[in-house]
Amino acid sequence: MFISKLRENSKRHSKKLFLIDPHNQLSYREFYKAVVRIANALLTKLEPNENRPVVVLIDRNIESVVAFFSVAATGNFYVPVDITQPLNRIKLIQDTLASDFVINATDKDNPHLGLDIMRYKELLDTGDFNEARLLKIEESIIDVDPLYAMFTSGSTGTPKGVLVSYRSVIDLMKQFELEFEFKEEDIFGNQAPFDFDVSVKDIYNALNIGATIVVIPKINFSFPTKLIDFLDKYKINIGIWAVSVLRIVENLNGFAKTVPQNLDKIMFSGEVMPNKILNYWRKYLPETTFVNLYGPTEITCNCTFHVVDRPYKDNDNLPIGIPFQNTRILLLDNKNQPVVSPNTQGEICVIGSSLALGYYNNKAFSDEAFTLNPTQKAYEEKIYRTGDIGYYNDQGLLMFSSRKDSQIKHMGHRIELGEIENQANALTMIDAAFCIYDEEEEKIVMFYQSDEENDREIYRAMLKQLPKYMLPNRFIFYDKFPLNKNNKIDREKITSEYYAN
């Protein structure tokens, strides 16, 4: 599957750069040769085609991606783990996997896991170039075999490993190529860490069409001038980025002096995109195509999309659109009945090849989230329950409303916290905002980022858009929200600090 694709690209695009990071660059030929050598070195320790997990300790570097493909080439699956994470979390992941195989693809010291950790350079130096062996192994791989597992934060404090098959990634590649018409001349600007599923879209879409990936240094996203210079230097024209990246540029008025010259498509996901921010980008980049992507890790990145094709007001809700081909969306109400009427809410459930295989070594959570379709009585059909609430608008486009667990009952009214957040994020005086419900105090609490603290003015502005019972009872000001490693607002940290105080 992918070893054959790499081999093909190494011949068709032998000298073309596949990956560029701040310290290194590899052509397709060089990348393929490194994969073959490391895979053969791994086969002195690993049995082929066992579908065993191999942890890859990663950084934002080329070596991490080489290691991914090397593991896959042995007929086992890779598990990217950021080496800078707390050691306790790495151990929790290792305990879940129950695997002794770890590759350190970074230049940092091995963590103390009580294991014999394999170093990237040693594997590269000791492996031979035996293509035939790997192609033989590939013949035994089937599309429902696992390709990778990515660990997400678990509500219980224990991370969950989402196990994704070849079939799901192949389906993603096909659908993105079909809908967005990527070309081999494209240059993808990678923003997402390699243990975050957004990076899967960079890696495998570029591989599929023979394009180039450039790893953008994280620091550049905090300084728009540096970001623009970098994008122009490498002629980056495809950005598959987190919403927070676009927010930072808008907050800092990053396009006041100059704008990127080559951006053709910008696709965003991970959080709700406030139209105020999107409208800023569209104003300065009117010829760029913007796409709202929706979907959790458990359905292999994205299941719906909306190409932004008309004006939206700042306080409008942006559609999450329509499903990709070979994917079906099912809205279920509280009685597990399908929702078909416009503007009627239900839980967003997904059917199709994009579904992950489940959570690795975690049957209880898998059975809870990956269930049988209650509307299909004639045969067993698996669905993934996203926990997100959505509805179809009058145009038949899917809309995101809120998380299932963010629907509250306050003062006798059922309230979607997402609706409050949408109105808050449309205000010019607010950079970003989100809400929680303090059940003990029976108060709606809104955290907001702004240039200055101005609770009273914000309250008055929101009163013009929302009924009084929906207004926050408490406002908490931040001059800058902390972000997690995936560049999303770190809601968990902020909420924990609130309850600690």
Side-chain angles (χ1 to χ4, degrees):
M1 293 179 184
F2 294 126
I3 194 70
S4 293
K5 187 66 178 178
L6 276 173
R7 187 168 183 263
E8 175 191 330
N9 283 350
S10 75
K11 293 181 177 180
R12 286 187 58 212
H13 311 287
S14 61
K15 296 183 179 179
K16 182 178 182 178
L17 292 177
F18 175 36
L19 259 171
I20 303 169
D21 72 19
H23 309 291
N24 196 8
Q25 60 184 35
L26 290 181
S27 68
Y28 270 97
R29 181 61 182 168
E30 291 166 333
F31 186 90
Y32 174 67
K33 287 172 69 175
V35 166
V36 172
R37 291 190 181 282
I38 291 178
N40 278 290
L42 289 173
L43 286 168
T44 65
K45 304 171 184 290
L46 278 167
E47 291 297 323
N49 298 114
E50 282 204 332
N51 290 330
R52 295 189 65 175
V54 178
V55 170
V56 181
L57 299 173
I58 64 162
D59 205 339
R60 298 198 66 228
N61 59 358
I62 290 173
E63 290 81 0
S64 297
V65 184
V66 171
F68 296 166
F69 284 96
S70 300
V71 172
T74 68
N76 294 283
F77 67 91
Y78 64 89
V79 186
V81 175
D82 186 344
I83 197 169
T84 65
Q85 289 189 91
L87 182 60
N88 285 343
R89 180 177 168 84
I90 297 177
K91 286 181 176 178
L92 280 173
I93 293 172
Q94 190 65 20
D95 288 345
T96 300
L97 296 169
S99 171
D100 295 333
F101 298 102
V102 181
I103 302 170
N104 186 349
T106 80
D107 58 2
K108 298 176 175 63
D109 293 335
N110 291 339
H112 299 290
L113 296 176
L115 300 171
D116 183 16
I117 298 175
M118 299 174 280
R119 305 263 350 178
Y120 177 94
K121 190 173 187 309
E122 293 171 5
L123 292 169
L124 184 64
D125 290 343
T126 57
D128 59 5
F129 192 74
N130 188 341
E131 293 179 281
R133 185 182 190 186
L134 302 184
L135 293 171
K136 185 69 175 176
I137 290 171
E138 187 176 61
E139 290 177 2
S140 300
I141 295 174
I142 60 176
D143 66 357
V144 292
D145 283 340
L147 173 62
Y148 65 80
M150 285 193 179
F151 276 78
T152 62
S153 298
S155 58
T156 61
T158 303
K160 295 181 295 185
V162 181
L163 189 62
V164 174
S165 71
Y166 282 83
R167 177 177 64 184
S168 296
V169 175
I170 291 168
D171 187 61
L172 178 145
M173 289 160 52
K174 287 181 178 178
Q175 303 313 324
F176 269 64
E177 183 179 16
L178 175 68
E179 298 294 346
F180 307 126
E181 299 179 342
F182 292 137
K183 307 178 297 296
E184 64 181 46
E185 295 81 18
D186 287 335
I187 301 175
F188 290 72
N190 165 259
Q191 170 262 321
F194 293 131
D195 60 341
F196 186 35
D197 69 344
V198 174
S199 67
V200 170
K201 291 175 279 189
D202 292 329
I203 295 168
Y204 288 95
N205 283 316
L207 172 69
N208 186 41
I209 58 173
T212 298
I213 307 168
V214 180
V215 177
I216 304 173
K218 184 177 179 180
I219 189 67
N220 288 13
F221 288 101
S222 298
F223 298 93
T225 302
K226 285 187 176 181
L227 175 63
I228 294 168
D229 288 345
F230 191 92
L231 296 174
D232 288 347
K233 175 182 177 180
Y234 288 97
K235 295 182 171 54
I236 291 168
N237 68 320
I238 305 290
I240 307 178
W241 299 337
V243 168
S244 58
V245 167
L246 282 72
R247 179 187 289 118
I248 291 170
V249 173
E250 186 270 345
N251 289 172
L252 298 174
N253 194 17
F255 294 152
K257 294 182 179 179
T258 184
V259 298
Q261 297 301 304
N262 302 288
L263 284 177
D264 179 51
K265 295 183 181 73
I266 297 178
M267 304 175 178
F268 46 87
S269 60
E271 298 176 274
V272 173
M273 168 62 82
N275 274 304
K276 176 183 68 177
I277 293 168
L278 180 57
N279 287 336
Y280 177 88
W281 279 72
R282 295 181 74 190
K283 172 186 173 182
Y284 285 98
L285 298 172
E287 302 302 317
T288 300
T289 298
F290 291 87
V291 183
N292 190 16
L293 297 170
Y294 164 79
T297 305
E298 287 84 347
I299 54 79
T300 318
C301 305
N302 302 121
C303 53
T304 73
F305 69 99
H306 174 61
V307 178
V308 183
D309 57 357
R310 68 175 180 84
Y312 286 96
K313 297 177 183 177
D314 284 356
N315 61 350
D316 283 343
N317 285 329
L318 187 66
I320 56 176
I322 60 175
F324 286 95
Q325 291 188 30
N326 202 36
T327 297
R328 184 178 301 128
I329 300 297
L330 177 67
L331 293 187
L332 293 177
D333 64 17
N334 292 332
K335 296 180 180 179
N336 277 332
Q337 295 301 306
V339 174
V340 293
S341 302
N343 303 305
T344 304
Q345 293 187 347
E347 181 179 6
I348 300 173
C349 302
V350 187
I351 306 169
S353 297
S354 65
L355 266 64
L357 297 172
Y359 301 113
Y360 189 79
N361 202 15
N362 197 332
K363 188 176 187 304
F365 277 107
S366 295
D367 290 346
E368 183 180 333
F370 297 87
T371 68
L372 295 180
N373 180 357
T375 70
Q376 177 54 264
K377 306 299 184 184
Y379 60 92
E380 292 188 350
E381 180 178 61
K382 187 175 284 190
I383 66 173
Y384 174 70
R385 293 178 175 269
T386 66
D388 291 334
I389 302 299
Y391 62 93
Y392 290 104
N393 66 11
D394 292 331
Q395 289 75 46
L397 297 175
L398 187 61
M399 309 293 292
F400 172 84
S401 179
S402 66
R403 286 289 298 167
K404 192 175 182 179
D405 53 12
S406 72
Q407 186 181 78
I408 64 167
K409 193 163 186 179
H410 178 61
M411 298 174 62
H413 299 275
R414 289 215 168 272
I415 297 170
E416 300 285 355
L417 294 179
E419 187 176 351
I420 302 172
E421 293 172 359
N422 182 59
Q423 295 300 328
N425 282 308
L427 299 176
T428 55
M429 65 190 81
I430 288 179
D431 294 335
F434 75 94
C435 298
I436 64 168
Y437 188 61
D438 186 332
E439 293 187 8
E440 185 174 335
E441 298 289 333
E442 296 185 345
K443 289 183 178 180
I444 299 172
V445 181
M446 190 177 91
F447 305 90
Y448 70 96
Q449 176 184 305
S450 181
D451 292 337
E452 58 181 352
E453 187 171 4
N454 204 335
D455 301 354
R456 187 171 298 178
E457 188 175 345
I458 292 170
Y459 183 90
R460 290 188 187 128
M462 293 182 70
L463 187 57
K464 295 177 182 178
Q465 303 295 332
L466 295 171
K468 195 168 185 178
Y469 68 82
M470 290 183 68
L471 293 178
N473 307 109
R474 186 177 180 193
F475 296 86
I476 298 180
F477 164 76
Y478 278 75
D479 57 1
K480 188 173 183 180
F481 276 151
L483 302 179
N484 62 23
K485 67 181 298 295
N486 296 329
N487 274 318
K488 296 182 183 180
I489 295 171
D490 198 335
R491 295 187 179 213
E492 185 176 341
K493 179 180 180 182
I494 295 168
T495 304
S496 297
E497 290 173 351
Y498 167 80
Y499 283 113
N501 295 328

